[in-house]
Amino acid sequence: MKIIYIDLDGVVADFEKGRKNHPLSSITPYIGRPDKLPGVYEDLEPIPDAIASVNILLNHKDFDVYFLSTAPWDNPEAWMHKRLWVAKYFNEKLIRKRLILSHHKHLLIGDYLIDDRRFNGASEFKGEWLHFGSENFRNWGEILNYLKIKT
Ligand SMILES: [Mg+2]
């Protein structure tokens, strides 16, 4: 089995949309620090095709799937909301205890990391970093195609 880590914001959860729609997003001290917006992580909409695609991976015999996200240190409720968010959108049986929150993604051992940003260790991940949103991996279809998964 290949171990695959999946980031949340910008890959599965649409943080950018949530930030824009948040009533306090253009108010000090949240300008430039959208990760501190109260409750911003709680009700994020999914990225297109993300839920179905992650479900394919979760149900695939060749893959051992974990969410690997970073929650802001100074926004403790974000840690709780990420835990609740994955339970809201995925079958509890498939994702239970499979959420890893870390600022040091390079310390995790595995084959693939699907992540939209290089920060918090993503670019130093020892396996293969599939840079979501980049030219090669513009969407979930291109990720599944690369992993040779038929949809
Ligand atoms: Mg991200």
Side-chain angles (χ1 to χ4, degrees):
M1 280 227 281
K2 302 274 194 194
I3 295 176
I4 183 160
Y5 298 106
I6 304 174
D7 177 38
L8 289 177
D9 301 313
V11 175
V12 183
D14 196 341
F15 181 80
E16 189 51 28
K17 191 172 187 178
R19 179 190 70 76
K20 278 194 201 133
N21 291 340
H22 196 287
L24 301 178
S25 63
S26 56
I27 292 171
T28 309
Y30 304 114
I31 299 168
R33 290 310 305 268
D35 57 325
K36 291 187 175 181
L37 283 165
V40 69
Y41 292 95
E42 192 172 12
D43 294 315
L44 296 178
E45 290 178 25
I47 295 275
D49 299 327
I51 305 301
S53 301
V54 173
N55 273 319
I56 288 170
L57 293 171
L58 285 167
N59 286 294
H60 200 293
K61 64 176 172 49
D62 295 340
F63 293 99
D64 190 16
V65 179
Y66 300 85
F67 295 110
L68 176 54
S69 178
T70 305
W73 188 258
D74 296 322
N75 183 1
E77 71 168 14
W79 297 65
M80 174 175 73
H81 288 152
K82 283 170 180 275
R83 155 68 179 83
L84 294 171
W85 197 91
V86 294
K88 177 177 173 183
Y89 283 100
F90 295 96
N91 182 339
E92 173 82 15
K93 287 197 183 89
L94 298 176
I95 55 96
R96 186 175 175 80
K97 301 186 179 179
R98 287 176 177 271
L99 170 63
I100 301 165
L101 298 178
S102 175
H103 288 78
H104 309 281
K105 296 181 179 181
H106 61 293
L107 296 180
L108 277 294
I109 297 167
D111 297 283
Y112 300 105
L113 168 64
I114 304 170
D115 204 308
D116 64 318
R117 302 201 310 160
R118 63 182 173 82
F119 305 112
N120 299 306
S123 63
E124 299 139 73
F125 178 66
K126 300 294 188 297
E128 194 175 348
W129 171 32
L130 310 186
H131 188 176
F132 192 88
S134 70
E135 200 176 327
N136 291 336
F137 303 106
R138 288 170 297 183
N139 51 50
W140 269 101
E142 294 187 350
I143 294 277
L144 295 185
N145 189 42
Y146 183 78
L147 296 171
K148 298 191 169 45
I149 291 167
K150 304 219 168 44
T151 54

